[in-house]
Amino acid sequence: RLEAGETSSLSNSDITTEVVVRSALEGDELACSVLDEAASYLGMGVANIISILNPQVVVLGGGLMNAGEYLLERIRQETKLWAQPLAAEQCRIELTRLGDDAGLLGAARLVFLSQNK
């Protein structure tokens, strides 16, 4: 979209998740639009997981989720549109408290559990 001429504080050379999130939180319209689109697709994906597996909680993390409540609330709204209503009502969608280390800590826990069998 930058190459198509849309104006933004972003530049083609330094686009990372962190840069887009920071720009969106600072009010950059293109960055906000990109995050809104990502939230829409993530919400659909989470809705599918909720509808199929009926979990009590879905925990989201990673660089994109550094947008925090900005993105989380949009994902929750999108999920309500697409998920099976009863399952969606009974499921919480939360941010990980482990930040970017969630995957590493989860892998370490699996190794620890497998050695203690």
Side-chain angles (χ1 to χ4, degrees), residues 19 23 30 45 59 71 77 89:
V19 170
S23 295
L30 177 58
V59 180
L71 197 57
Q77 291 169 359
E89 185 178 308

Side-chain angles (χ1 to χ4, degrees), residues 4-75:
E6 286 192 47
T7 58
S8 174
S9 63
L10 300 169
S11 69
N12 283 334
S13 62
D14 67 346
I15 296 181
T16 64
T17 303
E18 291 79 18
V19 170
V20 173
V21 167
R22 187 177 338 107
S23 295
L25 294 176
E26 292 171 357
D28 183 281
E29 288 184 27
L30 177 58
C32 288
S33 173
V34 167
L35 286 186
D36 288 344
E37 186 175 348
S40 179
Y41 287 115
L42 282 169
M44 286 184 224
V46 170
N48 285 327
I49 290 169
I50 290 171
S51 296
I52 294 168
L53 301 176
N54 197 24
Q56 291 180 340
V57 65
V58 172
V59 180
L60 302 173
L64 185 60
M65 294 312 297
N66 287 334
E69 287 298 321
Y70 176 90
L71 197 57
L72 187 61
E73 195 51 42
R74 286 164 173 75
I75 291 170

Side-chain angles (χ1 to χ4, degrees), residues 43 47 73 75-85 88 93:
E73 195 51 42
I75 291 170
R76 287 176 176 148
Q77 291 169 359
E78 197 70 29
T79 298
K80 286 180 184 177
L81 291 174
W82 295 100
Q84 193 281 334
I93 303 171

